[in-house]
Every structure is written in structure tokens, then in C-alpha cells.
Amino acid sequence: MPTALITGITGQDGSYLAELLLSKGYRVIGIVRRSSTTPYDRIAHLIDRIELVSADLLDQTSLFDAVGDANPDEIYNLAAQSFVAASWTQPVLTGEFTALGATRMLEAMKRAAPKARFYQASSSEQFGQVIQTPQCESTPFYPRSPYGVAKVYAHWITVNYRESFGLYAVSGILFNHESPRRGLEFVTRKVTDAVARIKLGRATEVRLGNLDSRRDWGFAGDYVDAMWRMLQQDKPDDYVIGTGETWSVQQLCEEAFSHAGLDWRTHVKLDARFIRPAEVDLLVADPSKAKRALGWEPTVRFSELVRMMVDADLARHRAGAGHG
């Protein structure tokens, strides 16, 4: 039975990855931070099938101990301060978690489990003000937020540990991936949750920033499969993961509201507070390398994804649950 160690297991991607690995017969160990509350909503249905250990990306010793005790075959570093907007208000903390946290994990692996295989969660936000469209593995990075900058650091430190120490370490440059488990602060979930509340008479509007911003949106369940496939290859390499299609925030609103029988123009209000200091206008993936080398393709299309999220939020609100 192979053993996988996952940071960020309580997040969207971590929960889907844990499900996937359990289905493949893995022993799954998740790293969680000690806190006075236990926000395990996304993995509540898995809690009796996984192991949780306490460690912190800010604390090197705890990571050495966690990796050493687990002796994993695979390590998935999914934990980060992952909300782009928050990286502007907490830029130093974002760097500590998202950039140096990855370094600490690599250092822990190098010392405690050098034969393990390491996955780093890179991001399309690294491309930022894009140099070319679509974006592939060789597209230069031009990040436009502290989050994007921190992810570039984490990406390159992973490359450096691979090349300098011979570690099996890869980065998946994942474009936006969503699901009913997405945090409520992200625009896709913000919209689908608002649609549900408006449909049920509990709200009348949703306030958004740049409606023209375009993203390559896919389903998180598809993307964790790509992560796993990267660690099954003979040689470590980096891959762009996305759908190759781009949609605007306005199109997201159109799809979500129409699925609930609503007119988005009646309920969407523009609010300058949600405009970023440096906007990223167009991100779209060229995932051809992943298709060729990994045999990976997305299975859920954009409209299907949005409808899935609206339906899940409607069901959740009808059941009386308030949180994602």
C-alpha cells in the first residue's frame, strides 16, 4: 500500500485528492495546523479513512517530524495562502506560506524521505500579465500579485531542488479549477452561492469587480487526477493543466443565473472594491503536453461545472447549511 502525505488536505483540492488516492488503495496522511477550531467540512466524509498529523508550513521542525514519521512515497504540497485578493493585504504572510512553505517541505523531504516523489501546486497566476496566449510550460512568468510572485518562487525552488539534489519533484501549473467545495471568497463560488440565495429569496444582489476578466475554468476533481498522473511518470517534469477554453466573469454570471431561471443583469452590481490593484485579464491554458505525456484531458465542461455548483449551493441552502 503506497503512502501519500498531503498538505492542504482540508481544502478543495486536498479533499478531492484524498478521495482519489483512497480509491487507488493509498494510505492517506494529511497535514493539518493546530487551531482552536477544526474546519474539516470538506473531508468529514473521509475522516475515518485518513490519518491527520499536526504540522505547520511555518515551522520547519514539525515538517521534518511529519515527513519522517509518515515515510511517504508521494508528497503533495497543496497548502498555501491561496486567495489572490488576500495576498495584497497579507503579502508577507503569503510569502511565508506559499513560497517559503514549499521550500520547507522540500527541505523536509530531502532530509527525511529523499526517495519520495513531490508535487508542488503551481498556478496560472504565475503568468499574470501574459507574454503569450495560450500559456504553456515555456511561457515566461510575469506575476501580478504577491500570491503570483510567491508561487513563482515556489515553482523555481522546486525546479532547483530537482536539479540540484536529484529529487523527484514536479510542479503542476494549474489553471483555475472549481467545484462545489470551492471557498466562498472565490468568484465562481461567490456567484453560484449568490444565485442560490437570490433564488430562495434570501438575497437580491451580488457585488463583483471586473466582469471582463477571462479565465480558463475547470473541475477540481479532474485536476487532482492530473497531479497523481505527474507522479507516476518515469522522469519528473512540469505540466500546464487547464481546459484550453476561456470564459469571462460575465459569462459565468449568465450561465449561473440562467440555470436558476434568473436574469443576471437584475442582480449583479459592479463594485470598485473588488477591482485588484493589478488585474490579470486573460488566462488560457495550452494543456497539450499533459494530454500527450500524461494521457490527461478534462471531463467536465464549463457549463456543466457551473450548473453543478449552482445545484449544490441550492441544495445546501435548502438544507439550512450556511457554509461551504
Side-chain angles (χ1 to χ4, degrees):
M1 178 187 292
T3 297
L5 182 66
I6 304 172
T7 72
I9 196 169
T10 60
Q12 169 189 255
D13 293 8
S15 66
Y16 281 109
L17 179 62
E19 285 176 352
L20 176 75
L21 295 175
L22 287 169
S23 76
K24 294 182 181 295
Y26 278 68
R27 174 192 180 204
V28 176
I29 304 172
I31 287 181
V32 293
R33 302 173 67 200
R34 287 195 190 280
S35 80
S36 55
T37 58
T38 52
Y40 296 164
D41 298 356
R42 296 184 182 94
I43 56 170
H45 61 298
L46 305 174
I47 220 76
D48 60 343
R49 301 171 60 201
I50 61 178
E51 301 168 45
L52 298 177
V53 298
S54 291
D56 197 310
L57 286 181
L58 302 185
D59 181 58
Q60 185 73 72
T61 302
S62 69
L63 298 179
F64 282 146
D65 292 344
V67 173
D69 291 345
N71 190 27
D73 300 287
E74 298 172 3
I75 298 171
Y76 296 86
N77 185 41
L78 309 185
Q81 191 300 100
S82 60
F83 187 40
V84 174
S87 77
W88 287 106
T89 55
Q90 296 184 302
V92 175
L93 186 67
T94 298
E96 285 284 352
F97 272 118
T98 306
L100 295 182
T103 314
R104 294 185 189 102
M105 280 304 302
L106 284 161
E107 190 64 19
M109 173 177 134
K110 178 168 73 92
R111 298 192 181 198
K115 299 299 184 187
R117 296 188 169 197
F118 182 90
Y119 172 85
Q120 168 59 25
S122 284
S123 166
S124 59
E125 288 287 332
Q126 294 166 205
F127 296 121
Q129 184 173 314
V130 297
I131 308 298
Q132 66 186 52
T133 297
Q135 293 90 50
C136 65
E137 291 79 7
S138 60
T139 301
F141 297 138
Y142 194 148
R144 298 278 281 168
S145 66
Y147 170 78
V149 172
K151 280 292 189 182
V152 169
Y153 178 103
H155 180 93
W156 282 115
I157 202 69
T158 301
V159 172
N160 273 263
Y161 270 68
R162 177 170 75 217
E163 295 179 350
S164 301
F165 304 117
L167 299 181
Y168 192 113
V170 309
S171 288
I173 308 172
L174 270 54
F175 280 65
N176 293 63
H177 45 291
E178 319 296 317
S179 76
R181 301 178 195 173
R182 189 59 144 149
L184 288 165
E185 69 272 23
F186 292 89
V187 67
T188 46
R189 188 71 194 292
K190 182 178 178 180
V191 168
T192 63
D193 180 70
V195 166
R197 287 184 292 112
I198 292 167
K199 180 68 174 178
L200 298 175
R202 300 177 190 176
T204 58
E205 66 178 34
V206 59
R207 292 183 171 269
L208 300 172
N210 182 8
L211 296 185
D212 297 323
S213 181
R214 303 181 70 86
R215 291 291 184 274
D216 182 330
W217 278 302
F219 173 51
D222 286 339
Y223 287 41
V224 299
D225 176 57
M227 299 176 189
W228 176 79
R229 288 175 186 238
M230 288 179 212
L231 294 193
Q232 312 315 309
Q233 305 307 303
D234 291 337
K235 293 183 178 179
D237 204 353
D238 305 324
Y239 299 89
V240 161
I241 302 297
T243 68
E245 298 178 351
T246 181
W247 305 86
S248 68
V249 175
Q250 180 173 320
Q251 288 173 306
L252 164 68
C253 293
E254 291 169 358
E255 187 71 40
F257 279 90
S258 66
H259 182 56
L262 301 169
D263 184 344
W264 73 274
R265 289 165 293 196
T266 305
H267 304 286
V268 173
K269 309 297 181 189
L270 297 182
D271 192 327
R273 290 178 301 165
F274 298 111
I275 302 289
R276 295 179 188 172
E279 190 59 76
V280 175
D281 294 317
L282 173 62
L283 292 172
V284 58
D286 172 5
S288 55
K289 178 180 174 182
K291 180 179 180 180
R292 183 178 67 253
L294 305 177
W296 179 87
E297 288 188 84
T299 66
V300 178
R301 313 300 294 188
F302 174 73
S303 58
E304 182 185 350
L305 172 64
V306 176
R307 292 194 298 266
M308 174 203 306
M309 293 174 67
V310 170
D311 289 343
D313 279 324
L314 279 166
R316 184 174 53 87
H317 280 292
R318 284 180 177 134
H323 300 289

